[in-house]
Amino acid sequence: MPHAPFELTQMAVDIVGTSPHATNKIAAALSGKDADGKDFVISRTNFYPPAIEKAFGQEQKIGNASPTVHAEMAVLQAAPRTEGSAIAITDLFCPNCAKYMAEAGVKTIYIDHKGLDKDWANRNGEDFEDMSMRIVKHAGINVYVVNRKKEELTPIFESSSKYAPSIENPIYLEKYNGPAEIPAFMAFVAERKAFYKDRPFAAAFALGGLGNLYAIAADEHPSIGYTAKTLEEPEGKYSFTLQPLNRLMLAAKRHGLSLHRNFLYVSRTPTGRDLVNAVGADLTKFYIGDRERSRGPNSLAALEMLEGAKVIEIVP
Ligand SMILES: [Zn+2]
């Protein structure tokens, strides 16, 4: 790793004050290797996607989702490639970000020790213990608390190097040799639809290095390491399942790819959380199979809000 835990954590701490969030200022720094094997380090704070903030401000929920992109998702989407990366966070991570980091192939998480004492940690400590940590354990991610001043690294969880988490339905990813054109994309979508049958999924063209085009698809899926059988139904607002659109965004980053903003299909209306994250990553144009289908009524409400404000475009 080019950056030791203390420097990486310091990088996140250095920018946390620039977070636009009034009360929950959070930052993350990520170190990894790009597709050419070159080391990189980046950092991001949580943020409001500008188009959403302009249309709805900072308080209005999008469906039932907050209008913020969490720092972990922000840094994962800004990275050139996330497989095997290390991430340092100023705070405890929420169950959604735990699933995102698992899908992105993050190997190690560092938490600044000051994050454990914050108000947010006190309010959300239960979610962290009950869900976030269980998710990253299933994914085989190491988690440490970092004390920068004392240069102390305290393990919360260390995964066995022999542990290989199960993935029931791996993502579909193939190099695509045809042109990036709508009929070719629709043929790919139809082929995936036949494969996934009634299961919700998302599909896209993605760009890799050297301008190479890829076809990528993912269905709704238990967080890595869980299966449909071992999946627990938790109480509260979080679930152990990762929705197709966000799964696709993270799987692409894991492999060093960027989703093509003109070729993005979802079989049903995505959740508000998925949509906010997508807009934050500048993905605003969607082909939708059946917009009347969704995970719940909040999803369609979110879609209609964003569509009505012209933040996103649904291709008929
Ligand atoms: Zn989060």
Side-chain angles (χ1 to χ4, degrees):
M1 279 293 147
H3 281 250
F6 308 108
E7 281 93 63
L8 196 63
T9 308
Q10 187 63 49
M11 263 186 80
V13 172
D14 284 345
I15 62 160
V16 72
T18 68
S19 162
H21 204 291
T23 48
N24 292 337
K25 292 188 184 300
I26 298 173
L30 184 144
S31 84
K33 283 187 189 300
D34 70 13
D36 299 322
K38 246 195 281 170
D39 296 324
F40 70 86
V41 185
I42 54 165
S43 58
R44 289 290 187 278
T45 68
N46 54 344
F47 72 101
Y48 302 93
I52 291 179
E53 187 177 10
K54 198 171 159 225
F56 302 106
Q58 300 186 346
E59 304 293 331
Q60 177 99 43
K61 285 200 163 189
I62 309 300
N64 64 344
S66 86
T68 44
V69 174
H70 288 194
E72 298 89 331
M73 186 59 152
V75 84
L76 290 168
Q77 287 301 305
R81 183 172 167 275
T82 56
E83 173 79 60
S85 58
I87 192 166
I89 316 167
T90 55
D91 290 75
L92 301 184
F93 49 89
C94 76
N96 282 339
C97 289
K99 290 186 285 184
Y100 302 159
M101 291 188 282
E103 192 67 36
V106 170
K107 205 57 217 140
T108 308
I109 300 172
Y110 302 112
I111 305 169
D112 187 54
H113 79 285
K114 288 189 174 168
L116 271 56
D117 306 329
K118 283 191 196 167
D119 189 38
W120 190 94
N122 293 330
R123 280 185 285 127
N124 296 282
E126 240 169 74
D127 282 337
F128 182 76
E129 293 294 332
D130 287 354
M131 288 196 70
S132 302
M133 278 310 296
R134 276 157 74 188
I135 288 165
V136 296
K137 281 177 186 174
H138 274 79
I141 301 174
N142 305 309
V143 183
Y144 301 90
V145 172
V146 172
N147 187 317
R148 285 165 291 130
K149 220 175 193 170
K150 295 186 187 160
E151 297 222 336
E152 266 174 15
L153 204 57
T154 312
I156 301 183
F157 174 72
E158 283 178 317
S159 184
S160 157
S161 58
K162 290 191 191 102
Y163 177 70
S166 63
I167 303 174
E168 253 180 352
N169 302 329
I171 60 148
Y172 174 93
L173 176 61
E174 289 280 339
K175 194 147 175 268
Y176 190 81
N177 292 314
E181 287 172 358
I182 289 165
F185 180 59
M186 285 305 154
F188 168 58
V189 166
E191 186 258 313
R192 284 292 93 195
K193 195 175 162 59
F195 175 82
Y196 291 121
K197 299 196 170 71
D198 245 5
R199 297 207 304 280
F201 75 98
F205 280 161
L207 294 162
L210 306 169
N212 285 329
L213 193 64
Y214 292 81
I216 182 168
D219 60 347
E220 180 184 55
H221 201 274
S223 189
I224 286 177
Y226 284 99
T227 64
K229 274 208 179 97
T230 62
L231 198 64
E232 303 135 276
E233 260 326 305
E235 291 162 34
K237 66 173 177 168
Y238 295 108
S239 93
F240 288 102
T241 303
L242 189 54
Q243 294 300 306
L245 176 58
N246 279 178
R247 191 176 178 222
L248 197 70
M249 288 168 60
L250 293 154
K253 278 295 162 189
R254 180 175 198 151
H255 295 278
L257 307 174
S258 299
L259 298 183
H260 196 309
R261 61 192 314 282
N262 290 326
F263 299 97
L264 186 52
Y265 173 92
V266 283
S267 66
R268 67 176 187 184
T269 292
T271 65
R273 173 54 35 217
D274 278 40
L275 286 168
V276 170
N277 286 339
V279 173
D282 205 26
L283 299 168
T284 57
K285 185 175 165 184
F286 303 91
Y287 293 85
I288 298 189
D290 183 355
R291 63 184 286 155
E292 300 307 320
R293 287 180 67 189
S294 67
R295 198 161 152 248
N298 289 318
S299 301
L300 191 57
L303 184 87
E304 284 173 349
M305 276 177 81
L306 296 174
E307 192 183 18
K310 296 199 162 33
V311 172
I312 60 170
E313 178 194 349
I314 307 301
V315 188

